[in-house]
Structures are given as C-alpha cells and as structure tokens.
PDB file of all heavy atoms in Angstrom:
ATOM      1  N   GLY A  53     246.307 107.507  78.393  1.00 93.00           N
ATOM      2  CA  GLY A  53     245.693 106.282  77.892  1.00 93.00           C
ATOM      3  C   GLY A  53     246.365 105.037  78.436  1.00 93.00           C
ATOM      4  O   GLY A  53     245.705 104.042  78.748  1.00 93.00           O
ATOM      5  N   SER A  54     247.687 105.076  78.561  1.00 94.00           N
ATOM      6  CA  SER A  54     248.413 103.931  79.117  1.00 94.00           C
ATOM      7  C   SER A  54     248.001 103.673  80.559  1.00 94.00           C
ATOM      8  O   SER A  54     247.848 102.515  80.985  1.00 94.00           O
ATOM      9  CB  SER A  54     249.921 104.172  79.028  1.00 94.00           C
ATOM     10  OG  SER A  54     250.335 104.296  77.681  1.00 94.00           O
ATOM     11  N   LEU A  55     247.832 104.735  81.332  1.00 94.00           N
ATOM     12  CA  LEU A  55     247.376 104.581  82.716  1.00 94.00           C
ATOM     13  C   LEU A  55     245.955 104.016  82.772  1.00 94.00           C
ATOM     14  O   LEU A  55     245.651 103.136  83.590  1.00 94.00           O
ATOM     15  CB  LEU A  55     247.420 105.919  83.440  1.00 94.00           C
ATOM     16  CG  LEU A  55     248.774 106.426  83.926  1.00 94.00           C
ATOM     17  CD1 LEU A  55     248.620 107.828  84.496  1.00 94.00           C
ATOM     18  CD2 LEU A  55     249.354 105.491  84.976  1.00 94.00           C
ATOM     19  N   LEU A  56     245.093 104.490  81.882  1.00 96.00           N
ATOM     20  CA  LEU A  56     243.687 104.115  81.945  1.00 96.00           C
ATOM     21  C   LEU A  56     243.432 102.677  81.528  1.00 96.00           C
ATOM     22  O   LEU A  56     242.386 102.117  81.855  1.00 96.00           O
ATOM     23  CB  LEU A  56     242.858 105.060  81.068  1.00 96.00           C
ATOM     24  CG  LEU A  56     242.725 106.482  81.614  1.00 96.00           C
ATOM     25  CD1 LEU A  56     241.979 107.366  80.634  1.00 96.00           C
ATOM     26  CD2 LEU A  56     242.010 106.481  82.959  1.00 96.00           C
ATOM     27  N   VAL A  57     244.361 102.072  80.803  1.00 95.00           N
ATOM     28  CA  VAL A  57     244.210 100.651  80.483  1.00 95.00           C
ATOM     29  C   VAL A  57     244.044  99.840  81.767  1.00 95.00           C
ATOM     30  O   VAL A  57     243.299  98.861  81.817  1.00 95.00           O
ATOM     31  CB  VAL A  57     245.428 100.159  79.676  1.00 95.00           C
ATOM     32  CG1 VAL A  57     245.408  98.635  79.550  1.00 95.00           C
ATOM     33  CG2 VAL A  57     245.434 100.792  78.287  1.00 95.00           C
ATOM     34  N   PHE A  58     244.720 100.278  82.820  1.00 95.00           N
ATOM     35  CA  PHE A  58     244.671  99.564  84.102  1.00 95.00           C
ATOM     36  C   PHE A  58     244.099 100.467  85.196  1.00 95.00           C
ATOM     37  O   PHE A  58     244.507 100.395  86.356  1.00 95.00           O
ATOM     38  CB  PHE A  58     246.069  99.084  84.490  1.00 95.00           C
ATOM     39  CG  PHE A  58     246.677  98.127  83.498  1.00 95.00           C
ATOM     40  CD1 PHE A  58     247.628  98.565  82.581  1.00 95.00           C
ATOM     41  CD2 PHE A  58     246.267  96.808  83.454  1.00 95.00           C
ATOM     42  CE1 PHE A  58     248.173  97.693  81.658  1.00 95.00           C
ATOM     43  CE2 PHE A  58     246.812  95.929  82.541  1.00 95.00           C
ATOM     44  CZ  PHE A  58     247.769  96.364  81.631  1.00 95.00           C
ATOM     45  N   HIS A  59     243.139 101.317  84.834  1.00 95.00           N
ATOM     46  CA  HIS A  59     242.650 102.299  85.815  1.00 95.00           C
ATOM     47  C   HIS A  59     241.945 101.634  86.996  1.00 95.00           C
ATOM     48  O   HIS A  59     242.057 102.093  88.131  1.00 95.00           O
ATOM     49  CB  HIS A  59     241.734 103.322  85.134  1.00 95.00           C
ATOM     50  CG  HIS A  59     240.378 102.801  84.759  1.00 95.00           C
ATOM     51  ND1 HIS A  59     239.271 103.020  85.536  1.00 95.00           N
ATOM     52  CD2 HIS A  59     239.962 102.086  83.700  1.00 95.00           C
ATOM     53  CE1 HIS A  59     238.224 102.459  84.972  1.00 95.00           C
ATOM     54  NE2 HIS A  59     238.609 101.884  83.863  1.00 95.00           N
ATOM     55  N   ARG A  60     241.217 100.554  86.742  1.00 95.00           N
ATOM     56  CA  ARG A  60     240.530  99.904  87.871  1.00 95.00           C
ATOM     57  C   ARG A  60     241.528  99.207  88.789  1.00 95.00           C
ATOM     58  O   ARG A  60     241.360  99.219  90.017  1.00 95.00           O
ATOM     59  CB  ARG A  60     239.482  98.926  87.351  1.00 95.00           C
ATOM     60  CG  ARG A  60     238.290  99.626  86.708  1.00 95.00           C
ATOM     61  CD  ARG A  60     237.107  98.705  86.567  1.00 95.00           C
ATOM     62  NE  ARG A  60     237.380  97.599  85.665  1.00 95.00           N
ATOM     63  CZ  ARG A  60     236.556  96.575  85.454  1.00 95.00           C
ATOM     64  NH1 ARG A  60     235.413  96.507  86.104  1.00 95.00           N
ATOM     65  NH2 ARG A  60     236.867  95.620  84.601  1.00 95.00           N
ATOM     66  N   GLU A  61     242.545  98.586  88.207  1.00 96.00           N
ATOM     67  CA  GLU A  61     243.569  97.950  89.044  1.00 96.00           C
ATOM     68  C   GLU A  61     244.287  98.992  89.901  1.00 96.00           C
ATOM     69  O   GLU A  61     244.541  98.761  91.098  1.00 96.00           O
ATOM     70  CB  GLU A  61     244.589  97.217  88.166  1.00 96.00           C
ATOM     71  CG  GLU A  61     244.094  95.925  87.553  1.00 96.00           C
ATOM     72  CD  GLU A  61     243.356  96.137  86.239  1.00 96.00           C
ATOM     73  OE1 GLU A  61     243.037  97.307  85.895  1.00 96.00           O
ATOM     74  OE2 GLU A  61     243.083  95.156  85.551  1.00 96.00           O
ATOM     75  N   ILE A  62     244.624 100.137  89.310  1.00 97.00           N
ATOM     76  CA  ILE A  62     245.306 101.190  90.063  1.00 97.00           C
ATOM     77  C   ILE A  62     244.408 101.718  91.181  1.00 97.00           C
ATOM     78  O   ILE A  62     244.855 101.925  92.314  1.00 97.00           O
ATOM     79  CB  ILE A  62     245.728 102.332  89.114  1.00 97.00           C
ATOM     80  CG1 ILE A  62     246.775 101.825  88.127  1.00 97.00           C
ATOM     81  CG2 ILE A  62     246.272 103.519  89.906  1.00 97.00           C
ATOM     82  CD1 ILE A  62     247.112 102.826  87.032  1.00 97.00           C
ATOM     83  N   ASP A  63     243.142 101.919  90.858  1.00 97.00           N
ATOM     84  CA  ASP A  63     242.201 102.443  91.849  1.00 97.00           C
ATOM     85  C   ASP A  63     241.966 101.445  92.981  1.00 97.00           C
ATOM     86  O   ASP A  63     241.970 101.810  94.162  1.00 97.00           O
ATOM     87  CB  ASP A  63     240.878 102.782  91.163  1.00 97.00           C
ATOM     88  CG  ASP A  63     239.871 103.411  92.112  1.00 97.00           C
ATOM     89  OD1 ASP A  63     240.255 104.340  92.845  1.00 97.00           O
ATOM     90  OD2 ASP A  63     238.702 102.973  92.130  1.00 97.00           O
ATOM     91  N   HIS A  64     241.770 100.161  92.632  1.00 97.00           N
ATOM     92  CA  HIS A  64     241.402  99.156  93.626  1.00 97.00           C
ATOM     93  C   HIS A  64     242.580  98.654  94.451  1.00 97.00           C
ATOM     94  O   HIS A  64     242.422  98.377  95.641  1.00 97.00           O
ATOM     95  CB  HIS A  64     240.733  97.964  92.940  1.00 97.00           C
ATOM     96  CG  HIS A  64     239.299  98.202  92.585  1.00 97.00           C
ATOM     97  ND1 HIS A  64     238.899  99.165  91.695  1.00 97.00           N
ATOM     98  CD2 HIS A  64     238.159  97.592  93.009  1.00 97.00           C
ATOM     99  CE1 HIS A  64     237.585  99.135  91.575  1.00 97.00           C
ATOM    100  NE2 HIS A  64     237.115  98.208  92.360  1.00 97.00           N
ATOM    101  N   PHE A  65     243.755  98.519  93.831  1.00 96.00           N
ATOM    102  CA  PHE A  65     244.867  97.874  94.519  1.00 96.00           C
ATOM    103  C   PHE A  65     245.947  98.827  95.003  1.00 96.00           C
ATOM    104  O   PHE A  65     246.787  98.437  95.816  1.00 96.00           O
ATOM    105  CB  PHE A  65     245.501  96.819  93.613  1.00 96.00           C
ATOM    106  CG  PHE A  65     244.541  95.734  93.193  1.00 96.00           C
ATOM    107  CD1 PHE A  65     244.375  95.424  91.856  1.00 96.00           C
ATOM    108  CD2 PHE A  65     243.782  95.054  94.129  1.00 96.00           C
ATOM    109  CE1 PHE A  65     243.486  94.427  91.456  1.00 96.00           C
ATOM    110  CE2 PHE A  65     242.891  94.068  93.750  1.00 96.00           C
ATOM    111  CZ  PHE A  65     242.736  93.750  92.406  1.00 96.00           C
ATOM    112  N   LEU A  66     245.937 100.068  94.518  1.00 96.00           N
ATOM    113  CA  LEU A  66     246.958 101.023  94.936  1.00 96.00           C
ATOM    114  C   LEU A  66     246.372 102.226  95.680  1.00 96.00           C
ATOM    115  O   LEU A  66     246.715 102.471  96.837  1.00 96.00           O
ATOM    116  CB  LEU A  66     247.757 101.509  93.709  1.00 96.00           C
ATOM    117  CG  LEU A  66     248.602 100.464  92.991  1.00 96.00           C
ATOM    118  CD1 LEU A  66     249.287 101.072  91.779  1.00 96.00           C
ATOM    119  CD2 LEU A  66     249.634  99.858  93.935  1.00 96.00           C
ATOM    120  N   LEU A  67     245.479 102.950  95.037  1.00 97.00           N
ATOM    121  CA  LEU A  67     245.007 104.210  95.607  1.00 97.00           C
ATOM    122  C   LEU A  67     243.980 104.013  96.714  1.00 97.00           C
ATOM    123  O   LEU A  67     244.014 104.720  97.726  1.00 97.00           O
ATOM    124  CB  LEU A  67     244.419 105.091  94.503  1.00 97.00           C
ATOM    125  CG  LEU A  67     245.371 105.438  93.350  1.00 97.00           C
ATOM    126  CD1 LEU A  67     244.655 106.296  92.315  1.00 97.00           C
ATOM    127  CD2 LEU A  67     246.606 106.156  93.876  1.00 97.00           C
ATOM    128  N   ASN A  68     243.049 103.082  96.534  1.00 98.00           N
ATOM    129  CA  ASN A  68     241.939 102.928  97.491  1.00 98.00           C
ATOM    130  C   ASN A  68     241.786 101.487  97.964  1.00 98.00           C
ATOM    131  O   ASN A  68     240.672 100.984  98.138  1.00 98.00           O
ATOM    132  CB  ASN A  68     240.633 103.403  96.843  1.00 98.00           C
ATOM    133  CG  ASN A  68     240.663 104.876  96.491  1.00 98.00           C
ATOM    134  OD1 ASN A  68     240.947 105.719  97.328  1.00 98.00           O
ATOM    135  ND2 ASN A  68     240.390 105.194  95.222  1.00 98.00           N
ATOM    136  N   ARG A  69     242.902 100.846  98.172  1.00 97.00           N
ATOM    137  CA  ARG A  69     242.892  99.442  98.585  1.00 97.00           C
ATOM    138  C   ARG A  69     242.119  99.247  99.889  1.00 97.00           C
ATOM    139  O   ARG A  69     241.421  98.243 100.059  1.00 97.00           O
ATOM    140  CB  ARG A  69     244.339  98.957  98.748  1.00 97.00           C
ATOM    141  CG  ARG A  69     244.475  97.500  99.172  1.00 97.00           C
ATOM    142  CD  ARG A  69     245.954  97.139  99.340  1.00 97.00           C
ATOM    143  NE  ARG A  69     246.110  95.786  99.839  1.00 97.00           N
ATOM    144  CZ  ARG A  69     246.168  94.711  99.075  1.00 97.00           C
ATOM    145  NH1 ARG A  69     246.068  94.838  97.759  1.00 97.00           N
ATOM    146  NH2 ARG A  69     246.321  93.520  99.603  1.00 97.00           N
ATOM    147  N   ASP A  70     242.203 100.200 100.801  1.00 96.00           N
ATOM    148  CA  ASP A  70     241.517 100.057 102.086  1.00 96.00           C
ATOM    149  C   ASP A  70     240.003 100.091 101.931  1.00 96.00           C
ATOM    150  O   ASP A  70     239.273  99.566 102.777  1.00 96.00           O
ATOM    151  CB  ASP A  70     241.972 101.159 103.058  1.00 96.00           C
ATOM    152  CG  ASP A  70     241.807 102.552 102.473  1.00 96.00           C
ATOM    153  OD1 ASP A  70     241.952 102.704 101.240  1.00 96.00           O
ATOM    154  OD2 ASP A  70     241.530 103.499 103.225  1.00 96.00           O
ATOM    155  N   TRP A  71     239.492 100.686 100.876  1.00 97.00           N
ATOM    156  CA  TRP A  71     238.053 100.723 100.626  1.00 97.00           C
ATOM    157  C   TRP A  71     237.570  99.473  99.897  1.00 97.00           C
ATOM    158  O   TRP A  71     236.524  98.917 100.241  1.00 97.00           O
ATOM    159  CB  TRP A  71     237.691 101.934  99.774  1.00 97.00           C
ATOM    160  CG  TRP A  71     237.761 103.245 100.468  1.00 97.00           C
ATOM    161  CD1 TRP A  71     238.069 103.469 101.791  1.00 97.00           C
ATOM    162  CD2 TRP A  71     237.532 104.520  99.880  1.00 97.00           C
ATOM    163  NE1 TRP A  71     238.036 104.808 102.053  1.00 97.00           N
ATOM    164  CE2 TRP A  71     237.708 105.492 100.908  1.00 97.00           C
ATOM    165  CE3 TRP A  71     237.195 104.945  98.607  1.00 97.00           C
ATOM    166  CZ2 TRP A  71     237.549 106.848 100.678  1.00 97.00           C
ATOM    167  CZ3 TRP A  71     237.033 106.304  98.370  1.00 97.00           C
ATOM    168  CH2 TRP A  71     237.213 107.244  99.391  1.00 97.00           C
ATOM    169  N   TRP A  72     238.335  99.057  98.885  1.00 97.00           N
ATOM    170  CA  TRP A  72     237.817  98.033  97.975  1.00 97.00           C
ATOM    171  C   TRP A  72     238.107  96.608  98.432  1.00 97.00           C
ATOM    172  O   TRP A  72     237.356  95.686  98.089  1.00 97.00           O
ATOM    173  CB  TRP A  72     238.414  98.230  96.579  1.00 97.00           C
ATOM    174  CG  TRP A  72     237.980  99.497  95.908  1.00 97.00           C
ATOM    175  CD1 TRP A  72     238.757 100.590  95.627  1.00 97.00           C
ATOM    176  CD2 TRP A  72     236.672  99.830  95.442  1.00 97.00           C
ATOM    177  NE1 TRP A  72     238.016 101.571  95.025  1.00 97.00           N
ATOM    178  CE2 TRP A  72     236.728 101.131  94.886  1.00 97.00           C
ATOM    179  CE3 TRP A  72     235.454  99.152  95.435  1.00 97.00           C
ATOM    180  CZ2 TRP A  72     235.618 101.766  94.334  1.00 97.00           C
ATOM    181  CZ3 TRP A  72     234.350  99.783  94.884  1.00 97.00           C
ATOM    182  CH2 TRP A  72     234.436 101.074  94.344  1.00 97.00           C
ATOM    183  N   ARG A  73     239.145  96.390  99.188  1.00 95.00           N
ATOM    184  CA  ARG A  73     239.503  95.030  99.572  1.00 95.00           C
ATOM    185  C   ARG A  73     238.521  94.508 100.617  1.00 95.00           C
ATOM    186  O   ARG A  73     238.265  95.160 101.645  1.00 95.00           O
ATOM    187  CB  ARG A  73     240.924  94.976 100.119  1.00 95.00           C
ATOM    188  CG  ARG A  73     241.372  93.567 100.506  1.00 95.00           C
ATOM    189  CD  ARG A  73     242.840  93.560 100.915  1.00 95.00           C
ATOM    190  NE  ARG A  73     243.262  92.262 101.399  1.00 95.00           N
ATOM    191  CZ  ARG A  73     243.577  91.226 100.633  1.00 95.00           C
ATOM    192  NH1 ARG A  73     243.509  91.353  99.329  1.00 95.00           N
ATOM    193  NH2 ARG A  73     243.954  90.081 101.160  1.00 95.00           N
ATOM    194  N   VAL A  74     237.971  93.324 100.384  1.00 92.00           N
ATOM    195  CA  VAL A  74     237.024  92.688 101.298  1.00 92.00           C
ATOM    196  C   VAL A  74     237.731  91.513 101.971  1.00 92.00           C
ATOM    197  O   VAL A  74     238.148  90.567 101.305  1.00 92.00           O
ATOM    198  CB  VAL A  74     235.765  92.198 100.554  1.00 92.00           C
ATOM    199  CG1 VAL A  74     234.823  91.488 101.514  1.00 92.00           C
ATOM    200  CG2 VAL A  74     235.069  93.362  99.878  1.00 92.00           C
ATOM    201  N   GLU A  75     237.863  91.586 103.297  1.00 80.00           N
ATOM    202  CA  GLU A  75     238.588  90.557 104.033  1.00 80.00           C
ATOM    203  C   GLU A  75     237.724  89.340 104.342  1.00 80.00           C
ATOM    204  O   GLU A  75     238.121  88.200 104.153  1.00 80.00           O
ATOM    205  CB  GLU A  75     239.131  91.144 105.341  1.00 80.00           C
ATOM    206  CG  GLU A  75     240.091  92.302 105.146  1.00 80.00           C
ATOM    207  CD  GLU A  75     241.446  91.855 104.629  1.00 80.00           C
ATOM    208  OE1 GLU A  75     241.665  90.629 104.542  1.00 80.00           O
ATOM    209  OE2 GLU A  75     242.260  92.727 104.299  1.00 80.00           O
ATOM    210  N   ARG A  76     236.495  89.597 104.797  1.00 70.00           N
ATOM    211  CA  ARG A  76     235.664  88.500 105.275  1.00 70.00           C
ATOM    212  C   ARG A  76     234.873  87.877 104.133  1.00 70.00           C
ATOM    213  O   ARG A  76     234.642  88.478 103.099  1.00 70.00           O
ATOM    214  CB  ARG A  76     234.708  88.991 106.352  1.00 70.00           C
ATOM    215  CG  ARG A  76     233.813  90.116 105.899  1.00 70.00           C
ATOM    216  CD  ARG A  76     232.971  90.647 107.040  1.00 70.00           C
ATOM    217  NE  ARG A  76     232.145  91.770 106.611  1.00 70.00           N
ATOM    218  CZ  ARG A  76     231.349  92.448 107.402  1.00 70.00           C
ATOM    219  NH1 ARG A  76     231.275  92.116 108.683  1.00 70.00           N
ATOM    220  NH2 ARG A  76     230.635  93.450 106.939  1.00 70.00           N
ATOM    221  N   ALA A  77     234.433  86.654 104.372  1.00 60.00           N
ATOM    222  CA  ALA A  77     233.660  85.918 103.377  1.00 60.00           C
ATOM    223  C   ALA A  77     232.213  85.785 103.816  1.00 60.00           C
ATOM    224  O   ALA A  77     231.630  84.710 103.792  1.00 60.00           O
ATOM    225  CB  ALA A  77     234.274  84.545 103.147  1.00 60.00           C
ATOM    226  N   ALA A  78     231.598  86.898 104.249  1.00 66.00           N
ATOM    227  CA  ALA A  78     230.198  86.872 104.682  1.00 66.00           C
ATOM    228  C   ALA A  78     229.275  86.794 103.474  1.00 66.00           C
ATOM    229  O   ALA A  78     229.643  87.203 102.376  1.00 66.00           O
ATOM    230  CB  ALA A  78     229.894  88.128 105.493  1.00 66.00           C
ATOM    231  N   PRO A  79     228.064  86.261 103.645  1.00 76.00           N
ATOM    232  CA  PRO A  79     227.108  86.222 102.524  1.00 76.00           C
ATOM    233  C   PRO A  79     226.843  87.631 102.003  1.00 76.00           C
ATOM    234  O   PRO A  79     226.684  88.584 102.768  1.00 76.00           O
ATOM    235  CB  PRO A  79     225.854  85.610 103.157  1.00 76.00           C
ATOM    236  CG  PRO A  79     226.347  84.854 104.346  1.00 76.00           C
ATOM    237  CD  PRO A  79     227.533  85.625 104.861  1.00 76.00           C
ATOM    238  N   SER A  80     226.798  87.766 100.683  1.00 88.00           N
ATOM    239  CA  SER A  80     226.612  89.068 100.068  1.00 88.00           C
ATOM    240  C   SER A  80     225.147  89.312  99.748  1.00 88.00           C
ATOM    241  O   SER A  80     224.399  88.398  99.414  1.00 88.00           O
ATOM    242  CB  SER A  80     227.436  89.161  98.775  1.00 88.00           C
ATOM    243  OG  SER A  80     228.814  89.040  99.043  1.00 88.00           O
ATOM    244  N   LEU A  81     224.755  90.563  99.847  1.00 95.00           N
ATOM    245  CA  LEU A  81     223.436  90.975  99.385  1.00 95.00           C
ATOM    246  C   LEU A  81     223.423  90.992  97.853  1.00 95.00           C
ATOM    247  O   LEU A  81     224.468  91.079  97.214  1.00 95.00           O
ATOM    248  CB  LEU A  81     223.102  92.360  99.918  1.00 95.00           C
ATOM    249  CG  LEU A  81     223.068  92.534 101.442  1.00 95.00           C
ATOM    250  CD1 LEU A  81     222.869  94.003 101.797  1.00 95.00           C
ATOM    251  CD2 LEU A  81     221.958  91.696 102.047  1.00 95.00           C
TER     252      LEU A  81
END
C-alpha cells in the first residue's frame, strides 16, 4: 500500500521513464 500511494510516479519517473517522458512540445492530438 505504501508503494501504491506513489505508483504512477514510480512507473512514470523510475521504471518506464523512457516511455512516458515527452521531450518535444509538438501540438497534441
């Protein structure tokens, strides 16, 4: 439960940062 409080942060910034991080500021669909 303690881990899951920050599950999205762990997933986005630690485990799968290369997938979720968007570098460019192109117009979004």
Side-chain angles (χ1 to χ4, degrees):
S54 298
L55 282 175
L56 289 176
V57 170
F58 299 101
H59 73 99
R60 290 197 296 174
E61 286 86 349
I62 295 172
D63 183 48
H64 281 63
F65 300 127
L66 294 178
L67 302 179
N68 297 306
R69 180 182 176 88
D70 54 327
W71 287 358
W72 294 111
R73 182 174 175 80
V74 178
E75 300 287 354
R76 58 185 178 182
S80 298
L81 300 174

